Amino acid sequence: MTSIVIPRPEGYARPRSALLDWLTTVDHKKLGILYLYSTMFFFGVGGILALLVRTQLAVADNSFVGNDAYNQIFTMHASAMLFLFIIPVWAGFGNYVVPLQIGAADMAFPRINALSFWLVPPAGILMFSGFLVDGGAAQAGWTAYSPLARGLGPGMDLWIIAVILLGVSSTIGAANFMVTMFRLRAPGMTMFRMPIFCWTMLVTSVLQLLATPVLASALAMLYIDRNFGGAFFDPNGGGNAILWQNIFWFYSHPAVYIMILPGMGIISEVLPVFSRKPLFGYKAFVFATMGIGGLGFSVWAHHMFTTGAVLKPWFGFMTFMIGVPTGVKMFNWLGTMWRGSISFEAPMLFALGFLSMFLIGGINGTFSAAVPVDFALHDTYFVVAHIHYVLFGGSVFAVFAGLYYWFPKIWGRRLNEKLGQAQFWLMFIGFNLAFFPMHLLGLDGMPRRIATYSNESGWEALNMASTVGAFLIATSMIPFIVAVIAAFMRPKDQPNDPWNANTLEWWTTSPPPVHNFDDLPEVHSERPLFDARQSGAGH
Amino acid sequence: MAAHGIATQHKQGLSNGMLGFILFLASEVMFFGGLFAAYFIARADATEWPPENMLTAEQIARGVKLEVEFALPFIATILLVLSSVTIQFGVLAIRRGDRTALIRWLMVTIVLGLVFLTAQMYDYSQLHFRAGDTVYGTTFYTLTGFHGAHVAGGVIFMGVMLARSMAGQFSAASHEAVEACSFYWHFVDVVWIALFTVLYIVK
């Protein structure tokens, strides 16, 4: 097996001061790390807000934070988690991993890549500075429905501008990822030999490119309504309040796939490696991902059945349809593990956590897509349970699967395995304790977004269980933080490929040099490292 | 096996930069798509258009009239379409390597763009309604305003191209930015044709 040597000019990487280097870097790996640090920071902030929410709801008739503060807290919890954590954390993983997986030296547009990242922290600061202005931070929920959002204080405007900035960040980032994957693949790597994580990033990028600008237009309209007397969402001036919901969900339903597809990609990298088998049905998985992306644009109004203003049978049917490619993926993953030689290291545990919890999230989601059921469950805690089963049980578990899996590559050290196991079990139990009771609360009619409830409602025990679960999730972060600190105190000792993995990022050193690769193996399949091991080549 | 570099640029077809730019334009199309959707829904909801029946007594007393001039925007439209032709002449010139002609055509196009913007500002000043006067005013100023901002962006883009070509840049082999600039300008032009059609012509 021959490998391809990459010529390199002398003196291409002049040393600079570390701080200046981090502030001005256009290296996709450094930007990826910056993305991961800042998104994990906002994960922490969003998590603290979640604990405030759960503390307020722990007992009936509670006045721990007060109604106004409660509205701000749950709004900012969701906004931070969705716009400042989940969506950009995939850009972080994508930044670090995609160029390495396709054997490229960097992203197609490194400076635009830096711009994408540097829009995120200011947007976060802008959004949270709402707490300092009159009337407090945004409090219309992350969905910012009109007429509610038209009438709130200036914190809402800060929120709008922040979300527009984040939208610009992900739109230009999406174009960057697409060109990178279309154009910079290593010799021999056809589209259908691209690692699955890249495929999911590609489909995610298409969704971001086409859906995010529509959100920007809706936010521009809301801003005009609020500040220039516009009447887009004001029926008194001939506008239409439902218009906001249509345009918002036209973005935000594809956006839920933006939030989950890269997570599916991560576990599709992890499951084969820890089952010692190739991914079962690679092409089926790719087409299912495309199917989810395409169908994702045709289901937005299932969030709006109770408005009565949408074509309910169509959107209900399309929502059932989108369960089909998702089901295909379930079989891809199960088939991958079937008769595999499975080992249960931390990345695998989190991937299995994703698999089982996302399955529940998929089932309770499809369940609520039935129009009559949705009428009963709309805006109850059942929906809160659903979104957390897909976004926490799905995406967050995948984030940790990715962190444990790629930590040796990114930082050259391995996270402690025992601490990883402890984190997983604490998080898994805490997660189910926090969110499973919400199904029952929802079925019993507890509305979402209420600041408190009466002790005659009979909801106290389940809410208390949920609060205990939330604090258990918070506790599960302690072993993770300890593991990260402990890892950073050790020297970089990881070999190129500590997991016996399949994809090109494991060909180069851990961490990789600035230019990523000194040489590349020839790519003949979607598992170039497996091929190299089989033919006895390698380092 | 011969040494390959890590791929950084495809040699044939669209360059990476152009591909990225076209994707950016696709996202712009979706942005305007959202605004157009709002406009069509407002019209579909209205019992009459312009929605004079939505005006309050206070607005009528203020002299609000929901009507637009046709003549000036029509002339501005012709100029903007013409400017798409002139920038294309510039692109054809630099493809031949004729930088002098590129500079000339860029200047002409910039002037046409500025005339369009001036006409739009003058048109705004003559209208008897504001952005707050029913959804008619809101959609009119939002759509034309965002388009106008894009025209201004295009004029700045062309200004940069002009400065670069006057500094001796661009040749027959290397003038990608000029091509991208012309793509952008054609896009702005097409959006305007759609806007002019729905705002001024379709009753």
Side-chain angles (χ1 to χ4, degrees):
Chain A
M1 171 122 185
T2 52
S3 66
I4 300 153
V5 180
I6 292 142
R8 190 157 307 290
E10 289 297 312
Y12 68 96
R14 270 170 288 128
R16 289 184 295 180
S17 91
L19 180 68
L20 187 70
D21 194 40
W22 281 102
L23 289 177
T24 59
T25 185
V26 292
D27 178 352
H28 73 99
K29 297 183 290 299
K30 289 203 162 117
L31 288 167
I33 290 171
L34 288 172
Y35 260 115
L36 290 177
Y37 281 147
S38 40
T39 50
M40 289 313 276
F41 170 78
F42 285 115
F43 178 56
V45 174
I48 290 167
L49 293 172
L51 292 181
L52 291 176
V53 166
R54 283 320 316 172
T55 309
Q56 165 68 20
L57 292 176
V59 291
D61 300 315
N62 199 356
S63 55
F64 172 64
V65 294
N67 293 356
D68 259 14
Y70 182 80
N71 290 346
Q72 295 173 32
I73 288 167
F74 82 72
T75 299
M76 295 303 286
H77 159 68
S79 305
M81 287 302 198
L82 301 177
F83 296 123
L84 293 165
F85 168 55
I86 282 291
I87 295 176
V89 83
W90 299 139
F93 279 113
N95 248 296
Y96 201 97
V97 174
V98 164
L100 287 170
Q101 282 196 328
I102 62 172
D106 206 316
M107 297 281 283
F109 309 112
R111 282 183 289 182
I112 287 176
N113 199 22
L115 175 62
S116 288
F117 168 71
W118 286 107
L119 285 170
V120 175
I125 293 167
L126 213 55
M127 194 187 276
F128 274 92
S129 59
F131 281 112
L132 306 175
V133 300
D134 236 16
Q139 47 178 312
W142 78 281
T143 51
Y145 275 13
S146 277
L148 182 57
R150 294 178 86 244
L152 296 169
M156 195 67 223
D157 290 321
L158 291 169
W159 184 91
I160 291 171
I161 296 165
V163 177
I164 290 179
L165 284 179
L166 292 165
V168 172
S169 162
S170 60
T171 307
I172 60 179
N176 205 347
F177 276 116
M178 288 166 76
V179 177
T180 303
M181 280 179 267
F182 285 142
R183 289 300 172 80
L184 303 188
R185 297 188 311 278
M189 185 178 285
T190 58
M191 288 302 275
F192 278 102
R193 289 176 188 166
M194 252 193 345
I196 283 291
F197 176 68
C198 293
W199 266 110
T200 57
M201 281 303 294
L202 182 61
V203 175
T204 300
S205 299
V206 175
L207 294 180
Q208 281 179 321
L209 187 85
L210 299 179
T212 316
V214 180
L215 176 69
S217 75
L219 290 165
M221 290 180 223
L222 184 58
Y223 193 86
I224 288 164
D225 265 20
R226 289 174 48 81
N227 294 286
F228 306 114
F232 279 114
F233 309 124
D234 177 15
N236 291 325
N240 186 336
I242 304 294
L243 171 67
W244 167 267
Q245 296 186 29
N246 270 308
I247 306 186
F248 178 82
W249 288 114
F250 183 84
Y251 158 76
S252 284
H253 202 83
V256 305
Y257 302 110
I258 291 170
M259 296 174 208
I260 194 73
L261 286 177
M264 293 174 164
I266 288 176
I267 77 153
S268 307
E269 297 292 339
V270 169
L271 289 174
V273 171
F274 294 90
S275 306
R276 316 306 321 153
K277 279 181 65 193
L279 181 72
F280 175 72
Y282 171 95
K283 279 195 179 169
F285 193 98
V286 170
F287 288 122
T289 306
M290 292 178 186
I292 290 176
L295 287 169
F297 278 104
S298 64
V299 299
W300 78 88
H302 69 215
H303 298 269
M304 304 163 53
F305 284 152
T306 56
T307 63
V310 296
L311 191 56
K312 294 182 280 296
W314 162 261
F315 286 104
F317 177 75
M318 293 312 284
T319 309
F320 290 130
M321 285 292 291
I322 210 164
V324 173
T326 315
V328 168
K329 291 186 173 198
M330 276 292 161
F331 285 105
N332 287 132
W333 293 323
L334 294 175
T336 304
M337 288 187 292
W338 179 252
R339 294 191 168 174
S341 165
I342 300 177
S343 58
F344 293 96
E345 282 98 336
M348 184 64 168
L349 283 180
F350 281 100
L352 293 173
F354 175 107
L355 203 63
S356 47
M357 295 301 99
F358 182 77
L359 178 63
I360 296 179
I363 290 171
N364 64 20
T366 317
F367 183 61
S368 345
V371 178
V373 178
D374 181 82
F375 268 72
L377 298 177
H378 186 82
D379 268 350
T380 69
Y381 258 84
F382 193 90
V383 178
V384 182
H386 163 65
I387 195 176
H388 285 92
Y389 266 86
V390 288
L391 282 181
F392 196 115
S395 304
V396 178
F397 275 84
V399 167
F400 283 102
L403 282 175
Y404 278 92
Y405 180 58
W406 280 310
F407 202 93
K409 179 55 60 183
I410 300 177
W411 284 285
R413 296 122 164 153
R414 207 167 139 179
L415 290 171
N416 183 292
E417 186 56 34
K418 284 214 172 68
L419 289 169
Q421 308 258 346
Q423 186 203 350
F424 171 76
W425 286 110
L426 276 173
M427 205 165 108
F428 189 77
I429 295 165
F431 167 77
N432 281 292
L433 191 58
F435 298 110
F436 196 81
M438 290 182 183
H439 289 112
L440 308 174
L441 287 168
L443 289 171
D444 204 31
M446 180 174 170
R448 67 196 288 207
R449 294 178 170 171
I450 52 169
T452 192
Y453 50 92
S454 141
N455 62 4
E456 286 154 29
S457 59
W459 296 334
E460 217 169 7
L462 288 172
N463 270 296
M464 181 50 92
S466 176
T467 302
V468 171
F471 278 90
L472 212 52
I473 294 173
T475 314
S476 76
M477 292 302 133
I478 295 171
F480 174 68
I481 293 166
V482 172
V484 170
I485 293 171
F488 279 137
M489 285 164 63
R490 281 203 310 275
K492 295 179 185 176
D493 60 354
Q494 287 299 297
N496 291 5
D497 183 10
W499 306 118
N500 273 331
N502 299 322
T503 40
L504 282 181
E505 77 270 33
W506 304 102
W507 179 262
T508 184
T509 55
S510 306
V514 181
H515 51 272
N516 289 353
F517 296 97
D518 287 320
D519 62 350
L520 282 171
E522 278 186 4
V523 179
H524 298 291
S525 74
E526 82 277 12
R527 297 195 298 159
L529 262 69
F530 176 84
D531 298 342
R533 277 196 299 275
Q534 291 308 100
S535 64
H539 291 281
Chain B
M1 173 141 192
H4 288 253
I6 291 186
T8 52
Q9 193 81 353
H10 264 232
K11 292 292 177 273
Q12 68 278 69
L14 283 176
S15 71
N16 293 353
M18 280 308 274
L19 181 60
F21 196 79
I22 289 167
L23 292 174
F24 161 73
L25 287 182
S27 78
E28 287 271 40
V29 169
M30 292 307 287
F31 178 81
F32 276 101
L35 296 181
F36 272 99
Y39 175 79
F40 288 131
I41 286 170
R43 273 188 84 149
D45 283 349
T47 47
E48 56 172 297
W49 195 262
E52 300 277 358
N53 58 345
M54 299 301 293
L55 289 174
T56 61
E58 182 269 325
Q59 282 166 328
I60 293 166
R62 189 149 48 78
V64 172
K65 275 201 220 51
L66 300 179
E67 57 192 25
V68 289
E69 286 291 323
F70 185 81
L72 183 62
F74 182 67
I75 295 166
T77 306
I78 291 172
L79 291 179
L80 198 64
V81 172
L82 200 61
S83 76
S84 249
V85 178
T86 58
I87 197 167
Q88 200 56 38
F89 279 139
V91 171
L92 294 176
I94 196 64
R95 279 185 194 161
R96 294 190 309 267
D98 185 351
R99 195 184 300 125
T100 321
L102 170 67
I103 292 171
R104 197 165 57 234
W105 287 117
L106 276 174
M107 283 175 172
V108 172
T109 315
I110 288 172
V111 168
L112 287 171
L114 289 173
V115 169
F116 178 87
L117 283 174
T118 314
Q120 190 177 28
M121 291 301 117
Y122 179 77
D123 186 47
Y124 277 8
S125 73
Q126 299 304 102
L127 294 174
H128 296 289
F129 62 89
R130 296 193 292 220
D133 294 326
T134 80
V135 74
Y136 182 86
T138 315
T139 49
F140 178 84
Y141 284 108
T142 305
L143 284 163
T144 56
F146 270 108
H147 176 264
H150 280 75
V151 175
V155 168
I156 293 168
F157 198 165
M158 288 188 291
V160 174
M161 294 306 103
L162 181 63
R164 286 180 62 179
S165 42
M166 285 165 79
Q169 297 187 22
F170 304 130
S171 63
S174 163
H175 56 269
E176 195 162 60
V178 179
E179 299 264 2
C181 183
S182 77
F183 272 42
Y184 184 80
W185 194 251
H186 295 322
F187 161 75
V188 168
D189 193 15
V190 168
V191 171
W192 177 255
I193 291 169
L195 270 180
F196 184 75
T197 310
V198 298
L199 291 178
Y200 292 90
I201 296 176
V202 178
K203 292 294 176 221

